[in-house]
Amino acid sequence: MTEKTQPPAYGPHSASADLPTQYTPADVEGKLYERWVERGYFTADAKSEKEPYAIVIPPPNVTGSLHLGHAFEHTLIDALTRRKRMQGFETLWQPGMDHAGIATQNVVERELAKEGKSRHDLGREAFVERVWQWKAESGGQISGQMRRLGDGVDWARERFTMDDGLSRAVQTIFKRLFDDGLIYRAERIINWCPRCLTAISDIEVEYQEDDGELVSIRYGEGEDTLVVATTRAETMLGDTAVAVHPDDERYAHLVGRTVRLPLTDRSIPVVADEHVDPAFGTGAVKVTPAHDPNDFEIGRRHGLPQLTIMDEHAIITAHGPFLGLDRLEARSAVVAALRAEGRIVDEKRPYRHSVGHCSRCKTTIEPRLSMQWWVRVAPLAKAAGDAVRDGRVTIHPKEMSSRYFEWVDNLHDWCISRQLWWGHRIPVWYGPAGETVCVGPDEEPPSGAGWHQETDVLDTWFSSGLWPFSTLGWPERTDSLAKFYPNSVLVTGYDILFFWVARMMMFGLYAMDGVPPFHTIALHGMVRDQFGKKMSKSFGNAVNPLDWMDTYGSDAVRFTLARGANPGVDVPIGEDWVQASRNFANKIWNATRFALLNGATVEGDLPSPEEMSATDRWILSRLNSVVAEVDAYYDDYQFAKLSDALFHFAWDEVFDWYVELSKTTFAAGGRPAEVSRRVLGEVLDVTLRLLHPVTPFVTDELWTTLTSGESVVVAAWPEDSGFRDPAAEREIGTVRQVVTEVRRFRADQGLQPGQRVPAALDLTGAPALAAHEEAIRSLLRLQPAEEGFTATATLPVAGATVALDLSGAIDFEAERKRLTKDLAAAEKELAQTTAKLGNEAFLAKAPDHVVDKIRARRATAEADITRIQAQLAKLP
């Protein structure tokens, strides 16, 4: 085991007096966390000579509160940093929050609406002041909730994407990108939210299947007729062409000619473009360059006019009978007018199709031609892809790499301007003669008549893309930047691989001279309910993790989340699982308390193996195997497996077997008891340190009581000493087999767990068990066989024979009746399920999950019959 400061000597019962008889998380967690922070355990020293280990928090929105997804992600990050801290690294878990442009502006605008005001009533400067005021009063409640969870972040370094340092970083990188020709202004089709009144990026659009109407419309007259289909009939008011494929012979005679656009006094050309799929629909498509991204490209290729027919609120601006209508009202009105003219060829209603919605407010997105600011991503995205391909950055699990490449290899230029007031205002000034000047953080903006700054702000993901280095003081070359960049690992959900991870990769490589922002990207899944369904308030299955923490303790919530965390896979979680983790925390508490009451100690060196019993050697051998196993799982980000390994080792092997097997040793006293007390102290010491990163509170309370050490937070991480004893493991394995088989037999016979019965043990076939006879009898409640003993049941197990006299313990006739009744029920169940599975008509109609359930019932019935028949055969 690892070296550690030895505590002062104490008597067998003194430490246990410090532990209450029951574990109450509320009495422990708050005071422990404040102690950890006050002692500076989480403070990172940029001048330390220790090897650095740095992780950034995925910055939660300032508008947010701790949801189960946060709790899940924070648990994983905290476990990694706590382990590395114990391993002697200089750890930094960087905290902070994102200003969340659209979301925060919406919150404050709703508050203003309650007062009967809008942001325009206040003006830009006063509105921004109002947002800062809201942030100071109401924003950032998540920080207090992070403390509840036990997040070991360096609070002294907490950052906000709108603070002065990060704003300087934003202005610096904008200026560099602009000067390098990687930021430009252009009129393009963007995703426009008529509710938020701003452009949003492609990755902020959520697509869902909606019911719509597919309308086929006849354009032109006589032989000059084409039929086009659309789900957005109102956009025909902005059509400037009809496109067909160059090789489509059906329309060859029309290419280069014009057709009349219904409901208007315009004629529009028929153009040939390879973008058109001649096999889809009629093979002719309407072209609306100002309101569709594909049509925009067709329009550019053919020099078509770009007619904008809606304003920013999606209200029709085209002159005519539809002027002033909302787009949905206009859609119905346009279809009605076309029907009246006899232009409707076909209508499909309802028509299910994929429709983009604003991820913030769920309003249907409107493609809109707009002058915006863009990042030219091609060289940045190539660098981000190359960093993973050449091994500088590893994505874990590796199968997620394909998603990453699919994104960065096909990335379109990024629209970074937002028509908001809250955010980083774009540092560009326009002059009276059409000048455009980009201003860096140390430069004075131009002034004088006619000069004004760009009114748009930057996409929130622009500033959060700088997070791994802006939080460390960039663009200044600070000690923190030199020490902690690049970060060791990024832990985040696969759902923001495109939103955030790709942005950080592009900006980090660009700003930091080709050095990526992290060595490893460890992706996790989404938290779902116990049935695998997405958690949502609208579904009624959303969970406030604080409620579970109040009821079961933070350790129970953390352990449950970690135990479900397989890399890149969604995590189902239910309250009963949190309850089971609370039981585990209680088990740890009670077992440690028992050990202290029986004199378990960490004082002095471990006795030599020669002094130890096979039971002692077995548990130490298993302990070292578990240390190695847990280390391997941590290095592979296998949180579920490491948590499961610790759970089964602690509960099954330490508490249920080693402690129980040692009771007879403790009772006998002498040197063997002293040895076992020291071994038990060692096992608990190491087990608590192994458990600490995932369950920090209960382990610190127990470890400091057990060892009198300062805190397990800064204790040494256990190391595998290399000690293994396969012979002891086999010997104790045989003991466990005997005890387990006899316990099963007792249960089958209806004996109560504490009921004592006379028994004779013949261990000639398993001589190694002789040393454990007293423990075996104690665990199995077996009395010695006295004169006149008559065996009514004999069990051969692992080379030993256990003979029991059950004559005075069981009413055999009543037991036979009970088992016979159970057998009849099992046989009836088998007959019914077999009949159903033999019914071809049933199998043809029943869903797969129903058939599988019946198959499972039949298998259970078969197993029950075998078990009951065996029990009946054993009755005398």
Side-chain angles (χ1 to χ4, degrees), residues 364-418:
T364 300
I365 289 300
E366 187 62 43
R368 186 169 188 255
L369 185 65
S370 180
M371 183 68 76
Q372 300 285 342
W373 284 92
W374 305 80
V375 172
R376 199 182 311 277
V377 300
L380 303 174
K382 182 181 183 303
D386 290 345
V388 175
R389 287 189 170 97
D390 64 25
R392 281 175 289 158
V393 177
T394 301
I395 293 180
H396 186 88
K398 62 182 179 181
E399 54 266 26
M400 288 284 180
S401 298
S402 60
R403 290 193 187 189
Y404 176 79
F405 292 134
E406 184 179 348
W407 180 256
V408 297
D409 292 348
N410 298 284
L411 200 56
H412 300 297
D413 283 2
W414 172 18
C415 178
I416 55 171
S417 45
R418 298 291 179 266

Short mmCIF file of all heavy atoms in Angstrom, two decimals, residues 364-418:
data_model
loop_
_atom_site.label_atom_id
_atom_site.label_comp_id
_atom_site.label_asym_id
_atom_site.label_seq_id
_atom_site.Cartn_x
_atom_site.Cartn_y
_atom_site.Cartn_z
N THR A 364 -40.74 28.08 -35.17
CA THR A 364 -40.29 27.57 -36.47
C THR A 364 -39.33 28.56 -37.12
O THR A 364 -39.59 29.76 -37.17
CB THR A 364 -41.50 27.35 -37.41
OG1 THR A 364 -42.38 26.40 -36.81
CG2 THR A 364 -41.05 26.82 -38.76
N ILE A 365 -38.18 28.03 -37.55
CA ILE A 365 -37.14 28.86 -38.15
C ILE A 365 -37.58 29.32 -39.54
O ILE A 365 -38.23 28.59 -40.29
CB ILE A 365 -35.83 28.05 -38.25
CG1 ILE A 365 -35.23 27.85 -36.86
CG2 ILE A 365 -34.84 28.72 -39.18
CD1 ILE A 365 -34.91 29.14 -36.15
N GLU A 366 -37.19 30.53 -39.88
CA GLU A 366 -37.47 31.06 -41.21
C GLU A 366 -36.13 31.32 -41.91
O GLU A 366 -35.34 32.16 -41.47
CB GLU A 366 -38.25 32.38 -41.11
CG GLU A 366 -38.73 32.92 -42.43
CD GLU A 366 -39.69 31.97 -43.13
OE1 GLU A 366 -40.59 31.41 -42.45
OE2 GLU A 366 -39.55 31.80 -44.35
N PRO A 367 -35.83 30.59 -43.00
CA PRO A 367 -34.64 30.93 -43.78
C PRO A 367 -34.81 32.35 -44.34
O PRO A 367 -35.87 32.70 -44.88
CB PRO A 367 -34.63 29.89 -44.90
CG PRO A 367 -35.48 28.77 -44.40
CD PRO A 367 -36.53 29.42 -43.55
N ARG A 368 -33.75 33.18 -44.21
CA ARG A 368 -33.91 34.60 -44.56
C ARG A 368 -32.60 35.15 -45.09
O ARG A 368 -31.54 34.88 -44.53
CB ARG A 368 -34.34 35.37 -43.30
CG ARG A 368 -34.68 36.83 -43.50
CD ARG A 368 -35.33 37.38 -42.23
NE ARG A 368 -35.84 38.72 -42.43
CZ ARG A 368 -35.26 39.82 -41.97
NH1 ARG A 368 -34.14 39.74 -41.25
NH2 ARG A 368 -35.78 41.00 -42.19
N LEU A 369 -32.69 35.88 -46.16
CA LEU A 369 -31.51 36.54 -46.71
C LEU A 369 -31.16 37.72 -45.83
O LEU A 369 -32.01 38.58 -45.55
CB LEU A 369 -31.79 37.00 -48.14
CG LEU A 369 -30.62 37.62 -48.89
CD1 LEU A 369 -29.53 36.58 -49.12
CD2 LEU A 369 -31.08 38.18 -50.24
N SER A 370 -29.91 37.74 -45.37
CA SER A 370 -29.54 38.78 -44.41
C SER A 370 -28.06 39.07 -44.48
O SER A 370 -27.25 38.18 -44.75
CB SER A 370 -29.92 38.34 -43.00
OG SER A 370 -29.58 39.30 -42.04
N MET A 371 -27.69 40.30 -44.21
CA MET A 371 -26.28 40.69 -44.12
C MET A 371 -25.79 40.32 -42.73
O MET A 371 -26.31 40.81 -41.72
CB MET A 371 -26.14 42.20 -44.36
CG MET A 371 -24.70 42.67 -44.36
SD MET A 371 -23.74 42.05 -45.76
CE MET A 371 -24.36 43.10 -47.07
N GLN A 372 -24.79 39.45 -42.68
CA GLN A 372 -24.30 38.95 -41.39
C GLN A 372 -22.78 38.82 -41.42
O GLN A 372 -22.14 38.91 -42.48
CB GLN A 372 -24.91 37.56 -41.10
CG GLN A 372 -26.42 37.51 -41.03
CD GLN A 372 -26.98 38.11 -39.77
OE1 GLN A 372 -26.28 38.27 -38.76
NE2 GLN A 372 -28.28 38.45 -39.79
N TRP A 373 -22.22 38.56 -40.21
CA TRP A 373 -20.78 38.31 -40.09
C TRP A 373 -20.55 36.81 -40.04
O TRP A 373 -21.31 36.07 -39.42
CB TRP A 373 -20.23 38.97 -38.82
CG TRP A 373 -20.10 40.46 -38.98
CD1 TRP A 373 -21.02 41.41 -38.66
CD2 TRP A 373 -18.97 41.14 -39.52
NE1 TRP A 373 -20.55 42.66 -38.97
CE2 TRP A 373 -19.28 42.53 -39.49
CE3 TRP A 373 -17.73 40.74 -40.01
CZ2 TRP A 373 -18.40 43.50 -39.95
CZ3 TRP A 373 -16.84 41.70 -40.47
CH2 TRP A 373 -17.17 43.07 -40.43
N TRP A 374 -19.48 36.36 -40.69
CA TRP A 374 -19.21 34.94 -40.85
C TRP A 374 -17.75 34.61 -40.54
O TRP A 374 -16.86 35.44 -40.73
CB TRP A 374 -19.49 34.50 -42.30
CG TRP A 374 -20.86 34.82 -42.79
CD1 TRP A 374 -21.31 36.02 -43.25
CD2 TRP A 374 -21.97 33.92 -42.84
NE1 TRP A 374 -22.64 35.94 -43.59
CE2 TRP A 374 -23.07 34.65 -43.36
CE3 TRP A 374 -22.15 32.58 -42.51
CZ2 TRP A 374 -24.32 34.08 -43.54
CZ3 TRP A 374 -23.40 32.01 -42.72
CH2 TRP A 374 -24.47 32.75 -43.21
N VAL A 375 -17.53 33.40 -40.06
CA VAL A 375 -16.17 32.86 -39.95
C VAL A 375 -15.94 31.92 -41.13
O VAL A 375 -16.76 31.04 -41.39
CB VAL A 375 -15.97 32.09 -38.63
CG1 VAL A 375 -14.61 31.38 -38.63
CG2 VAL A 375 -16.05 33.03 -37.44
N ARG A 376 -14.85 32.14 -41.85
CA ARG A 376 -14.46 31.25 -42.94
C ARG A 376 -13.79 30.02 -42.31
O ARG A 376 -12.63 30.06 -41.90
CB ARG A 376 -13.50 31.97 -43.87
CG ARG A 376 -13.38 31.35 -45.26
CD ARG A 376 -12.36 32.10 -46.11
NE ARG A 376 -12.55 33.54 -46.11
CZ ARG A 376 -13.42 34.20 -46.88
NH1 ARG A 376 -14.19 33.51 -47.71
NH2 ARG A 376 -13.51 35.52 -46.82
N VAL A 377 -14.56 28.94 -42.20
CA VAL A 377 -14.13 27.83 -41.34
C VAL A 377 -13.22 26.81 -42.01
O VAL A 377 -12.61 25.99 -41.32
CB VAL A 377 -15.34 27.08 -40.75
CG1 VAL A 377 -16.19 28.01 -39.91
CG2 VAL A 377 -16.16 26.42 -41.83
N ALA A 378 -13.11 26.81 -43.33
CA ALA A 378 -12.40 25.72 -44.01
C ALA A 378 -11.01 25.44 -43.43
O ALA A 378 -10.72 24.30 -43.05
CB ALA A 378 -12.33 26.00 -45.51
N PRO A 379 -10.10 26.44 -43.32
CA PRO A 379 -8.78 26.13 -42.78
C PRO A 379 -8.81 25.77 -41.29
O PRO A 379 -8.03 24.93 -40.83
CB PRO A 379 -7.97 27.41 -43.02
CG PRO A 379 -9.00 28.49 -43.16
CD PRO A 379 -10.20 27.84 -43.77
N LEU A 380 -9.72 26.39 -40.55
CA LEU A 380 -9.83 26.10 -39.11
C LEU A 380 -10.36 24.69 -38.89
O LEU A 380 -9.88 23.95 -38.03
CB LEU A 380 -10.76 27.11 -38.44
CG LEU A 380 -10.38 28.60 -38.57
CD1 LEU A 380 -11.47 29.48 -37.99
CD2 LEU A 380 -9.04 28.88 -37.90
N ALA A 381 -11.37 24.30 -39.67
CA ALA A 381 -11.96 22.97 -39.53
C ALA A 381 -10.96 21.89 -39.95
O ALA A 381 -10.91 20.82 -39.35
CB ALA A 381 -13.23 22.87 -40.36
N LYS A 382 -10.19 22.16 -41.00
CA LYS A 382 -9.18 21.19 -41.43
C LYS A 382 -8.16 20.94 -40.31
O LYS A 382 -7.79 19.80 -40.02
CB LYS A 382 -8.46 21.66 -42.69
CG LYS A 382 -7.42 20.65 -43.21
CD LYS A 382 -6.71 21.16 -44.43
CE LYS A 382 -5.74 20.10 -44.96
NZ LYS A 382 -4.74 19.66 -43.95
N ALA A 383 -7.72 22.03 -39.67
CA ALA A 383 -6.77 21.88 -38.56
C ALA A 383 -7.39 21.08 -37.42
O ALA A 383 -6.71 20.25 -36.79
CB ALA A 383 -6.34 23.26 -38.07
N ALA A 384 -8.68 21.32 -37.16
CA ALA A 384 -9.36 20.59 -36.08
C ALA A 384 -9.48 19.11 -36.40
O ALA A 384 -9.37 18.25 -35.53
CB ALA A 384 -10.74 21.20 -35.84
N GLY A 385 -9.71 18.79 -37.66
CA GLY A 385 -9.76 17.39 -38.06
C GLY A 385 -8.39 16.73 -38.02
O GLY A 385 -8.24 15.60 -37.55
N ASP A 386 -7.38 17.46 -38.49
CA ASP A 386 -6.01 16.91 -38.52
C ASP A 386 -5.50 16.60 -37.12
O ASP A 386 -4.78 15.61 -36.92
CB ASP A 386 -5.06 17.90 -39.20
CG ASP A 386 -5.32 18.02 -40.70
OD1 ASP A 386 -6.02 17.15 -41.24
OD2 ASP A 386 -4.82 18.99 -41.30
N ALA A 387 -5.87 17.41 -36.13
CA ALA A 387 -5.37 17.21 -34.76
C ALA A 387 -5.84 15.88 -34.19
O ALA A 387 -5.14 15.26 -33.39
CB ALA A 387 -5.82 18.35 -33.86
N VAL A 388 -7.03 15.43 -34.59
CA VAL A 388 -7.52 14.13 -34.15
C VAL A 388 -6.93 13.02 -35.01
O VAL A 388 -6.53 11.97 -34.51
CB VAL A 388 -9.06 14.09 -34.19
CG1 VAL A 388 -9.58 12.70 -33.84
CG2 VAL A 388 -9.64 15.12 -33.22
N ARG A 389 -6.84 13.26 -36.30
CA ARG A 389 -6.31 12.22 -37.20
C ARG A 389 -4.85 11.89 -36.90
O ARG A 389 -4.43 10.74 -37.00
CB ARG A 389 -6.45 12.67 -38.65
CG ARG A 389 -7.89 12.64 -39.16
CD ARG A 389 -7.97 12.89 -40.66
NE ARG A 389 -9.31 12.61 -41.15
CZ ARG A 389 -10.25 13.54 -41.34
NH1 ARG A 389 -9.97 14.81 -41.08
NH2 ARG A 389 -11.45 13.20 -41.78
N ASP A 390 -4.04 12.91 -36.53
CA ASP A 390 -2.62 12.63 -36.29
C ASP A 390 -2.32 12.25 -34.84
O ASP A 390 -1.16 12.06 -34.47
CB ASP A 390 -1.75 13.81 -36.73
CG ASP A 390 -2.00 15.10 -35.94
OD1 ASP A 390 -2.47 15.03 -34.78
OD2 ASP A 390 -1.72 16.19 -36.48
N GLY A 391 -3.37 12.13 -34.01
CA GLY A 391 -3.18 11.62 -32.66
C GLY A 391 -2.86 12.65 -31.60
O GLY A 391 -2.68 12.29 -30.43
N ARG A 392 -2.80 13.92 -31.96
CA ARG A 392 -2.55 14.93 -30.91
C ARG A 392 -3.72 15.02 -29.94
O ARG A 392 -3.55 15.36 -28.78
CB ARG A 392 -2.31 16.30 -31.56
CG ARG A 392 -0.92 16.50 -32.13
CD ARG A 392 -0.82 17.84 -32.85
NE ARG A 392 -1.58 17.85 -34.09
CZ ARG A 392 -2.02 18.97 -34.68
NH1 ARG A 392 -1.82 20.15 -34.11
NH2 ARG A 392 -2.68 18.89 -35.83
N VAL A 393 -4.90 14.70 -30.44
CA VAL A 393 -6.11 14.68 -29.60
C VAL A 393 -6.79 13.33 -29.80
O VAL A 393 -6.93 12.85 -30.94
CB VAL A 393 -7.08 15.81 -29.98
CG1 VAL A 393 -8.36 15.73 -29.14
CG2 VAL A 393 -6.42 17.17 -29.81
N THR A 394 -7.19 12.73 -28.70
CA THR A 394 -7.89 11.44 -28.74
C THR A 394 -9.33 11.64 -28.34
O THR A 394 -9.63 12.28 -27.33
CB THR A 394 -7.23 10.44 -27.77
OG1 THR A 394 -5.86 10.26 -28.14
CG2 THR A 394 -7.95 9.10 -27.80
N ILE A 395 -10.24 11.08 -29.14
CA ILE A 395 -11.66 11.11 -28.79
C ILE A 395 -12.03 9.77 -28.17
O ILE A 395 -11.70 8.72 -28.70
CB ILE A 395 -12.53 11.38 -30.03
CG1 ILE A 395 -12.28 12.81 -30.54
CG2 ILE A 395 -14.01 11.19 -29.71
CD1 ILE A 395 -13.08 13.19 -31.76
N HIS A 396 -12.69 9.85 -27.02
CA HIS A 396 -13.07 8.65 -26.30
C HIS A 396 -14.57 8.69 -26.01
O HIS A 396 -15.05 9.70 -25.51
CB HIS A 396 -12.29 8.57 -24.98
CG HIS A 396 -12.50 7.29 -24.24
ND1 HIS A 396 -11.74 6.19 -24.46
CD2 HIS A 396 -13.40 6.95 -23.31
CE1 HIS A 396 -12.15 5.21 -23.67
NE2 HIS A 396 -13.17 5.66 -22.97
N PRO A 397 -15.33 7.63 -26.37
CA PRO A 397 -14.88 6.41 -27.03
C PRO A 397 -14.55 6.65 -28.50
O PRO A 397 -15.12 7.55 -29.13
CB PRO A 397 -16.08 5.47 -26.87
CG PRO A 397 -17.25 6.38 -26.77
CD PRO A 397 -16.78 7.60 -26.07
N LYS A 398 -13.66 5.83 -29.03
CA LYS A 398 -13.11 6.10 -30.36
C LYS A 398 -14.16 6.06 -31.46
O LYS A 398 -14.02 6.71 -32.49
CB LYS A 398 -11.99 5.11 -30.68
CG LYS A 398 -12.40 3.65 -30.72
CD LYS A 398 -11.19 2.76 -30.99
CE LYS A 398 -11.58 1.28 -31.02
NZ LYS A 398 -10.39 0.41 -31.27
N GLU A 399 -15.26 5.29 -31.23
CA GLU A 399 -16.29 5.23 -32.27
C GLU A 399 -16.98 6.57 -32.48
O GLU A 399 -17.66 6.78 -33.49
CB GLU A 399 -17.33 4.15 -31.95
CG GLU A 399 -17.97 4.24 -30.60
CD GLU A 399 -17.27 3.39 -29.55
OE1 GLU A 399 -16.05 3.11 -29.72
OE2 GLU A 399 -17.93 2.99 -28.59
N MET A 400 -16.82 7.51 -31.51
CA MET A 400 -17.40 8.83 -31.68
C MET A 400 -16.58 9.70 -32.65
O MET A 400 -17.04 10.77 -33.07
CB MET A 400 -17.49 9.54 -30.32
CG MET A 400 -18.56 8.99 -29.40
SD MET A 400 -20.19 9.54 -29.91
CE MET A 400 -21.22 8.74 -28.67
N SER A 401 -15.38 9.25 -32.99
CA SER A 401 -14.54 10.03 -33.90
C SER A 401 -15.21 10.24 -35.24
O SER A 401 -15.07 11.30 -35.86
CB SER A 401 -13.18 9.33 -34.11
OG SER A 401 -12.48 9.22 -32.89
N SER A 402 -15.95 9.23 -35.71
CA SER A 402 -16.59 9.35 -37.01
C SER A 402 -17.60 10.49 -37.02
O SER A 402 -17.73 11.20 -38.02
CB SER A 402 -17.27 8.03 -37.39
OG SER A 402 -18.25 7.67 -36.43
N ARG A 403 -18.31 10.68 -35.91
CA ARG A 403 -19.26 11.81 -35.82
C ARG A 403 -18.51 13.14 -35.91
O ARG A 403 -18.95 14.09 -36.56
CB ARG A 403 -20.02 11.77 -34.49
CG ARG A 403 -21.03 10.66 -34.37
CD ARG A 403 -21.92 10.95 -33.16
NE ARG A 403 -22.82 9.86 -32.86
CZ ARG A 403 -23.80 9.94 -31.98
NH1 ARG A 403 -24.00 11.07 -31.32
NH2 ARG A 403 -24.58 8.91 -31.73
N TYR A 404 -17.38 13.19 -35.23
CA TYR A 404 -16.58 14.41 -35.22
C TYR A 404 -16.10 14.73 -36.63
O TYR A 404 -16.23 15.87 -37.11
CB TYR A 404 -15.41 14.23 -34.27
CG TYR A 404 -14.44 15.38 -34.22
CD1 TYR A 404 -14.74 16.53 -33.49
CD2 TYR A 404 -13.22 15.32 -34.90
CE1 TYR A 404 -13.84 17.59 -33.43
CE2 TYR A 404 -12.32 16.38 -34.85
CZ TYR A 404 -12.63 17.51 -34.12
OH TYR A 404 -11.76 18.56 -34.07
N PHE A 405 -15.53 13.74 -37.32
CA PHE A 405 -15.03 13.97 -38.67
C PHE A 405 -16.16 14.34 -39.63
O PHE A 405 -15.99 15.19 -40.50
CB PHE A 405 -14.29 12.73 -39.18
CG PHE A 405 -13.01 12.44 -38.46
CD1 PHE A 405 -12.70 11.16 -38.04
CD2 PHE A 405 -12.09 13.45 -38.20
CE1 PHE A 405 -11.52 10.89 -37.37
CE2 PHE A 405 -10.91 13.20 -37.53
CZ PHE A 405 -10.62 11.91 -37.11
N GLU A 406 -17.30 13.69 -39.47
CA GLU A 406 -18.43 13.98 -40.34
C GLU A 406 -18.82 15.45 -40.24
O GLU A 406 -19.23 16.07 -41.21
CB GLU A 406 -19.62 13.08 -39.95
CG GLU A 406 -20.83 13.23 -40.85
CD GLU A 406 -21.97 12.32 -40.44
OE1 GLU A 406 -21.75 11.40 -39.61
OE2 GLU A 406 -23.09 12.52 -40.94
N TRP A 407 -18.65 15.98 -39.04
CA TRP A 407 -19.01 17.38 -38.83
C TRP A 407 -17.93 18.32 -39.35
O TRP A 407 -18.19 19.18 -40.20
CB TRP A 407 -19.27 17.64 -37.35
CG TRP A 407 -19.64 19.07 -37.07
CD1 TRP A 407 -18.86 20.03 -36.53
CD2 TRP A 407 -20.88 19.69 -37.37
NE1 TRP A 407 -19.53 21.22 -36.46
CE2 TRP A 407 -20.77 21.04 -36.96
CE3 TRP A 407 -22.07 19.24 -37.94
CZ2 TRP A 407 -21.82 21.95 -37.10
CZ3 TRP A 407 -23.12 20.16 -38.08
CH2 TRP A 407 -22.98 21.48 -37.66
N VAL A 408 -16.69 18.18 -38.86
CA VAL A 408 -15.65 19.15 -39.22
C VAL A 408 -15.28 19.07 -40.70
O VAL A 408 -14.83 20.06 -41.29
CB VAL A 408 -14.39 19.01 -38.34
CG1 VAL A 408 -14.72 19.29 -36.89
CG2 VAL A 408 -13.74 17.65 -38.50
N ASP A 409 -15.42 17.89 -41.30
CA ASP A 409 -15.07 17.75 -42.72
C ASP A 409 -16.12 18.36 -43.64
O ASP A 409 -15.87 18.51 -44.84
CB ASP A 409 -14.88 16.27 -43.08
CG ASP A 409 -13.65 15.67 -42.41
OD1 ASP A 409 -12.84 16.43 -41.87
OD2 ASP A 409 -13.51 14.42 -42.43
N ASN A 410 -17.30 18.67 -43.11
CA ASN A 410 -18.38 19.20 -43.94
C ASN A 410 -18.93 20.50 -43.37
O ASN A 410 -20.09 20.86 -43.62
CB ASN A 410 -19.51 18.17 -44.06
CG ASN A 410 -19.06 16.89 -44.73
OD1 ASN A 410 -18.90 16.85 -45.95
ND2 ASN A 410 -18.84 15.84 -43.95
N LEU A 411 -18.10 21.20 -42.63
CA LEU A 411 -18.56 22.40 -41.93
C LEU A 411 -18.72 23.57 -42.90
O LEU A 411 -17.85 23.85 -43.72
CB LEU A 411 -17.54 22.77 -40.84
CG LEU A 411 -17.99 23.66 -39.70
CD1 LEU A 411 -19.18 23.07 -38.99
CD2 LEU A 411 -16.84 23.86 -38.72
N HIS A 412 -19.88 24.23 -42.82
CA HIS A 412 -20.12 25.43 -43.61
C HIS A 412 -19.62 26.65 -42.84
O HIS A 412 -19.43 26.60 -41.62
CB HIS A 412 -21.61 25.59 -43.90
CG HIS A 412 -22.21 24.45 -44.68
ND1 HIS A 412 -21.82 24.14 -45.95
CD2 HIS A 412 -23.16 23.55 -44.35
CE1 HIS A 412 -22.50 23.10 -46.39
NE2 HIS A 412 -23.32 22.71 -45.43
N ASP A 413 -19.44 27.74 -43.54
CA ASP A 413 -19.04 28.96 -42.86
C ASP A 413 -20.05 29.28 -41.75
O ASP A 413 -21.26 29.05 -41.89
CB ASP A 413 -18.95 30.11 -43.85
CG ASP A 413 -17.67 30.04 -44.68
OD1 ASP A 413 -16.90 29.08 -44.49
OD2 ASP A 413 -17.44 30.95 -45.50
N TRP A 414 -19.52 29.81 -40.67
CA TRP A 414 -20.27 29.96 -39.43
C TRP A 414 -20.78 31.40 -39.31
O TRP A 414 -19.99 32.35 -39.27
CB TRP A 414 -19.34 29.58 -38.28
CG TRP A 414 -19.80 29.82 -36.89
CD1 TRP A 414 -21.07 30.02 -36.45
CD2 TRP A 414 -18.97 29.88 -35.72
NE1 TRP A 414 -21.09 30.20 -35.08
CE2 TRP A 414 -19.82 30.10 -34.61
CE3 TRP A 414 -17.61 29.74 -35.51
CZ2 TRP A 414 -19.33 30.22 -33.32
CZ3 TRP A 414 -17.10 29.85 -34.22
CH2 TRP A 414 -17.97 30.08 -33.14
N CYS A 415 -22.08 31.54 -39.21
CA CYS A 415 -22.68 32.85 -38.98
C CYS A 415 -22.53 33.21 -37.51
O CYS A 415 -23.10 32.54 -36.65
CB CYS A 415 -24.16 32.84 -39.38
SG CYS A 415 -25.00 34.40 -39.07
N ILE A 416 -21.76 34.24 -37.21
CA ILE A 416 -21.42 34.56 -35.82
C ILE A 416 -22.12 35.81 -35.30
O ILE A 416 -21.96 36.15 -34.12
CB ILE A 416 -19.90 34.72 -35.63
CG1 ILE A 416 -19.36 35.77 -36.60
CG2 ILE A 416 -19.20 33.38 -35.81
CD1 ILE A 416 -17.90 36.14 -36.34
N SER A 417 -22.86 36.52 -36.15
CA SER A 417 -23.52 37.75 -35.67
C SER A 417 -24.93 37.44 -35.19
O SER A 417 -25.63 36.61 -35.75
CB SER A 417 -23.54 38.80 -36.79
OG SER A 417 -23.94 38.22 -38.02
N ARG A 418 -25.33 38.13 -34.13
CA ARG A 418 -26.65 37.96 -33.55
C ARG A 418 -27.27 39.33 -33.34
O ARG A 418 -26.61 40.26 -32.88
CB ARG A 418 -26.57 37.21 -32.20
CG ARG A 418 -25.99 35.80 -32.31
CD ARG A 418 -26.94 34.86 -33.04
NE ARG A 418 -26.39 33.51 -33.16
CZ ARG A 418 -25.70 33.08 -34.21
NH1 ARG A 418 -25.47 33.90 -35.23
NH2 ARG A 418 -25.24 31.86 -34.26
#
